[in-house]
Amino acid sequence: MSTLAWFLLPLLGFIVALMLVGYFARAFPNWPLVALGLLPAILAAGLVFTPTLMPPLLVADGAIVLLATLDLFTLPRKKQLSVERQTLRTASLARPHPVTLTVTNHSRRRQQLAIRDGVPDRLEPTPDRFDVNLPARSRATVNYRLTSQRRGAYRLETTFVRVRSRWGLWRRQLEYAVPSVIHVYPDMQQVSQYAVLARTNRLSLLGVRRTRRIGQDNEFERLRDYTPDDNPRHIDWRSTARRRKLTVRDFQANQSQRVIFLLDCGRMMTNQAEGLSLLDHALNAMLMLGYVALNRGDSVGMIAFSDEIHTFVPPRGGRAQMNRLLHASFDRFPRLVESRYDKAFLYLAAQCRKRSLVILITNVIDEVNSNQIERYLGNLVGRHLPLGVLLRDHSVFSAVDVAGEPQGAELFRAGAAAELLLWRSQVLADLTGRGVLALDVFPEDLTAPLINRYLEIKARHLL
């Protein structure tokens, strides 16, 4: 009994000491200290057979305690390190966003660090941890990328740095307050890509077609290189002779017209396509078309609604309007409520009286919503130019497109999907029959067809 007591008392004291160290010093044993603790455990097991092992056991316990105590005082303190974070305030949805962390070692010895940035759950860091061997009086810079699958404002408050003692027996986690704010906007990198391709007449790479104008506007805009789709009558022969390269004249289309988006933020826009909600795809396409329309001198506005009116951006022109559209839409998310089309169109009638291109982006899954869309868009014909954009559901189309001959439950699923697609085509036919322009596309393919339809409307002078 006394032998067991001699064994348990030092062990209990060692555990209590570790607990006190962890509470007051915020330090925790590292794996080398745990490995050293196995030596007394082996000696203690031998006490049952050889009581003479008691002196070596006490010596081992004392040596480990002394070694651990001395090494504990070598743990770096918080003020011996500092952390800075550099990142841009704005990021694009589903696009890698660069972040830089700079860690400075103010102490006189080398530090072994494990660095992890405290990011919100919806942000995915790549990589999420860095192991750094930082010499004395020096600094290290690490870079990683954040990717967000959800728009909104995110706060990065803390960076965590795990440090080791000199002999590696202890570790401590230090927290550094490094506040940063990142606003995740809809994908704006496509805007810069569009601008580059537009300057080099390569918009076909984005799926944007060159639209032939019916009739011709009279105001000269610029000279540019000839392409096979150009009218030969527009060749400027003087510029061609001077440049020794075929050059054509461009004329401005009608400007100061209005484009107003009606964005459905209700339950029908909560579906996912390629990792993004239907509303995310709609916002990306809206901002892209808004950029194109503003560059052509038109005014762009937006009404976001579900069971109520959430956001209204009056139609205006100029570069500042893009910022207004961005700030009004980046933190808007779909809600699990029924959309009130009556409120949206009444609000449109009260706020926008001048003739405009009204683009409703939504999704239809039942007859109640389709009847409302058909009725309200049809009532706009004459006063405005309505364009109904209906987003497709991949699951419905894939259920019909089955390899081979469907059997059993797959046959019934394909039949139900085919009936739903037939009903959908009838909805589009009814919209067209009432004089409403219609666009039926998959969410991820929305941008290019929407821009093409806008350019077609401008070319045919429908607005």
Side-chain angles (χ1 to χ4, degrees):
M1 187 67 179
S2 60
T3 302
L4 182 61
W6 276 104
F7 165 66
L8 291 178
L9 286 176
L11 180 61
L12 181 61
F14 186 62
I15 294 175
V16 172
L18 290 180
M19 295 176 62
L20 292 175
V21 169
Y23 180 79
F24 290 103
R26 300 297 182 185
F28 304 93
N30 204 7
W31 65 266
L33 183 57
V34 177
L36 285 176
L38 293 177
L39 177 59
I42 295 173
L43 294 176
L47 286 177
V48 179
F49 308 101
T50 310
T52 58
L53 291 178
M54 180 61 67
L57 174 61
L58 295 178
V59 172
D61 286 341
I64 292 175
V65 170
L66 179 61
L67 186 65
T69 303
L70 294 176
D71 196 41
L72 177 64
F73 289 102
T74 66
L75 270 174
R77 295 184 299 275
K78 186 174 182 178
K79 65 180 182 179
Q80 293 178 328
L81 300 171
S82 62
V83 180
E84 298 177 358
R85 182 192 297 114
Q86 295 87 32
T87 184
L88 297 177
R89 186 181 178 88
T90 60
S92 293
L93 183 67
R95 298 279 187 171
H97 182 69
V99 180
T100 300
L101 292 176
T102 302
V103 182
T104 304
N105 180 11
H106 302 287
S107 67
R108 297 181 179 179
R109 71 178 182 88
R110 182 181 297 270
Q111 303 288 356
Q112 295 286 339
L113 310 177
I115 305 170
R116 189 189 299 269
D117 208 2
V119 300
D121 292 338
R122 295 190 178 274
L123 298 180
E124 299 177 3
T126 306
D128 60 352
R129 171 176 166 164
F130 300 91
D131 293 318
V132 178
N133 188 355
L134 190 58
R137 305 291 188 180
S138 64
R139 64 177 56 186
T141 300
V142 295
N143 300 280
Y144 71 95
R145 295 182 178 273
L146 285 176
T147 305
S148 175
Q149 300 298 331
R150 182 181 174 91
R151 294 168 287 103
Y154 298 91
R155 293 189 62 85
L156 281 68
E157 300 285 356
T158 309
T159 299
F160 301 94
V161 179
R162 182 175 295 174
V163 296
R164 292 172 50 189
S165 58
R166 182 184 294 271
W167 296 325
L169 301 182
W170 299 94
R171 60 181 180 177
R172 173 186 288 163
Q173 183 160 290
L174 305 176
E175 299 181 8
Y176 293 88
V178 192
S180 301
V181 177
I182 297 179
H183 289 175
V184 179
Y185 291 99
D187 185 11
M188 293 304 297
Q189 294 188 14
Q190 59 179 349
V191 172
S192 59
Q193 184 181 10
Y194 179 93
V196 172
L197 295 178
R199 286 196 294 268
T200 56
N201 293 321
R202 293 185 297 162
L203 288 177
S204 59
L205 297 178
L206 293 178
V208 178
R209 302 189 303 267
R210 179 182 293 277
T211 304
R212 182 181 177 183
R213 293 173 184 162
I214 299 177
Q216 184 64 47
D217 299 309
N218 298 322
E219 188 175 353
F220 172 78
E221 181 180 9
R222 62 169 180 162
L223 293 172
R224 60 172 175 82
D225 293 340
Y226 174 84
T227 62
D229 294 332
D230 290 324
N231 191 333
R233 291 180 298 178
H234 299 155
I235 295 177
D236 189 304
W237 294 107
R238 289 186 178 180
S239 300
T240 298
R242 184 173 60 254
R243 300 177 66 224
R244 296 184 180 181
K245 190 175 184 179
L246 282 176
T247 305
V248 296
R249 294 186 296 270
D250 253 357
F251 299 90
Q252 290 182 353
N254 292 329
Q255 296 183 351
S256 300
Q257 296 175 323
R258 292 189 173 193
V259 180
I260 300 177
F261 292 91
L262 290 179
L263 287 182
D264 184 0
C265 301
R267 65 180 178 89
M268 292 183 295
M269 301 295 282
T270 58
N271 289 349
Q272 298 281 324
E274 293 192 351
L276 300 178
S277 68
L278 300 188
L279 182 58
D280 288 325
H281 290 290
L283 287 172
N284 289 341
M286 179 203 74
L287 293 172
M288 190 69 237
L289 179 54
Y291 174 81
V292 175
L294 290 171
N295 277 354
R296 289 176 172 264
D298 289 340
S299 300
V300 181
M302 179 192 70
I303 298 176
F305 70 97
S306 58
D307 58 338
E308 59 183 357
I309 304 299
H310 299 299
T311 306
F312 172 58
V313 179
R316 295 178 184 174
R319 295 182 178 180
Q321 185 68 355
M322 276 300 295
N323 291 331
R324 299 188 188 101
L325 293 172
L326 271 174
H327 288 292
S329 61
F330 86 98
D331 57 351
R332 179 60 53 203
F333 304 103
R335 304 173 61 198
L336 292 174
V337 295
E338 197 69 34
S339 298
R340 293 289 302 272
Y341 294 97
D342 53 344
K343 287 186 177 181
F345 282 89
L346 283 174
Y347 194 86
L348 173 69
Q351 299 293 333
C352 307
R353 300 182 181 275
K354 185 178 179 181
R355 180 174 173 82
S356 308
L357 171 61
V358 179
I359 303 175
L360 172 64
I361 305 179
T362 185
N363 179 28
V364 291
I365 56 177
D366 54 47
E367 292 186 358
V368 175
N369 292 321
S370 65
N371 290 336
Q372 291 188 68
I373 291 172
E374 179 183 346
R375 180 169 72 253
Y376 289 115
L377 283 179
N379 291 338
L380 291 182
V381 176
R383 290 178 296 160
H384 299 285
L385 179 62
L387 170 60
V389 180
L390 305 184
L391 301 179
R392 295 178 175 180
D393 190 340
H394 279 281
S395 61
V396 177
F397 282 82
S398 60
V400 175
D401 189 14
V402 179
E405 186 176 350
Q407 300 291 335
E410 192 177 58
L411 177 62
F412 290 101
R413 191 182 303 110
E419 184 177 355
L420 186 59
L421 292 181
L422 184 62
W423 166 78
R424 185 184 179 90
S425 63
Q426 185 60 46
V427 171
L428 293 169
D430 293 341
L431 284 174
T432 306
R434 297 197 60 172
V436 178
L437 301 178
L439 192 60
D440 182 31
V441 294
F442 288 109
E444 66 275 12
D445 301 328
L446 174 59
T447 301
L450 188 58
I451 294 176
N452 288 331
R453 183 57 61 91
Y454 165 78
L455 296 177
E456 179 185 353
I457 291 170
K458 298 287 288 186
R460 295 174 60 188
H461 306 282
L462 299 179
L463 189 55

